[in-house]
Amino acid sequence: MLKILIADDHEVVRQGLERILQKEYPGAHIECVADGQEMLKKVIQSEWDLVISDLSMPSKTGIEALEEIRQHYPKLPVLILTMHPEEQYALRALKAGASGYLSKSIDAAELIAATRRVLMGRKYITPELAEKLSELVDGSADDLPHQLLSNREFEVLKMLARGLSLIEIGKTLSVTPTTVSTYRQRILSKMHLTNNSELTRYALLHRLID
């Protein structure tokens, strides 16, 4: 029996995905969770054929959960389905071990095509992302400053750029404001910026925030 785990913090999205997948894979066992921590717990407790995960979720982001999943089940297909555009997270997700990266704007046919491909043990990437990967391989693409950040630093960058305080960011990430301040200093140093205003301008320029 095919076993699929869906992780998304929006109930409407979970229900929609479950209906699409149940229609395509009759008899499949499908479960849904609402956050990254619960997804990780489910993966460790049971065997799955496919995981479909959002990126921005409570308690643990999709990429953080993905990195831990890879430590336990390196061959488990994990398909990222998110509202974030490819230029923000696709390369990070693939480096973390994702089998594919899809936008929530896709239709049901593309979702099914992606699930079938990753269930075969192959990667699913769009032509645009394939071109970007090709540029990285042949050295024709220069790393932008934000691409040098760790996944956690990148999350902090986006929250700082949105105007969140150190306390608010700390609560979201379950760390102290002092730890967030340390992340901020690392970000500014790596990106050769001096303050939050410059971070915000950079994030807007490179479409890292809406």
Side-chain angles (χ1 to χ4, degrees):
M1 177 189 298
L2 183 68
K3 292 185 63 178
I4 303 174
L5 179 63
I6 298 170
D8 196 291
D9 58 335
H10 292 92
E11 184 177 0
V12 172
V13 174
R14 296 195 301 271
Q15 292 178 348
L17 288 174
E18 186 172 4
R19 282 196 297 270
I20 292 171
L21 294 168
Q22 201 72 71
K23 181 178 180 180
E24 183 64 24
Y25 302 108
H29 174 77
I30 301 174
E31 291 188 29
C32 299
V33 295
D35 62 71
Q37 187 64 49
E38 186 64 20
M39 174 178 72
L40 182 59
K41 180 180 177 182
K42 286 277 188 181
V43 168
I44 293 175
Q45 288 178 340
S46 184
E47 293 186 3
W48 301 90
D49 297 297
L50 172 65
V51 175
I52 300 177
S53 174
D54 193 4
L55 284 178
S56 300
M57 295 184 290
S59 75
K60 190 181 290 288
T61 68
I63 286 186
E64 289 174 332
L66 174 59
E67 290 174 331
E68 293 192 46
I69 287 173
R70 281 289 162 261
Q71 296 176 17
H72 298 277
Y73 302 99
K75 295 184 179 180
L76 173 62
V78 179
L79 187 61
I80 299 297
L81 180 65
T82 180
M83 61 178 288
H84 298 292
E86 287 183 342
E87 59 265 27
Q88 286 189 21
Y89 276 107
L91 292 178
R92 289 179 180 275
L94 291 175
K95 287 179 181 178
S99 301
Y101 190 98
L102 292 171
S103 167
K104 287 183 178 178
S105 62
I106 63 168
D107 57 24
E110 185 172 359
L111 172 65
I112 294 304
T115 61
R116 290 196 175 280
R117 187 173 179 86
V118 299
L119 282 168
M120 294 169 60
R122 304 171 70 182
K123 297 283 187 181
Y124 186 91
I125 56 176
T126 65
E128 293 78 13
L129 183 54
E131 182 177 352
K132 178 64 175 176
L133 291 172
S134 176
E135 291 175 353
L136 291 175
V137 170
D138 65 23
S140 60
D142 295 324
D143 280 340
L144 291 170
H146 72 272
Q147 293 173 335
L148 303 176
L149 302 177
S150 69
N151 291 327
R152 177 52 64 92
E153 289 167 349
F154 185 61
E155 291 295 331
V156 172
L157 160 65
K158 291 176 61 179
M159 287 186 274
L160 287 170
R162 291 193 181 99
L164 274 67
S165 69
L166 300 184
I167 293 176
E168 290 172 324
I169 296 173
K171 288 181 179 179
T172 300
L173 299 178
S174 299
V175 298
T176 66
T178 301
T179 300
V180 178
S181 179
T182 299
Y183 282 129
R184 176 181 177 276
Q185 292 304 316
R186 290 179 188 169
I187 293 166
L188 293 174
S189 176
K190 288 183 178 181
M191 298 181 66
H192 304 290
L193 301 175
T194 59
N195 54 50
N196 287 9
S197 295
E198 291 183 0
L199 279 178
T200 301
R201 284 197 294 272
Y202 179 96
L204 289 170
L205 176 64
H206 294 281
R207 297 179 60 196
L208 303 183
I209 60 173
D210 299 325

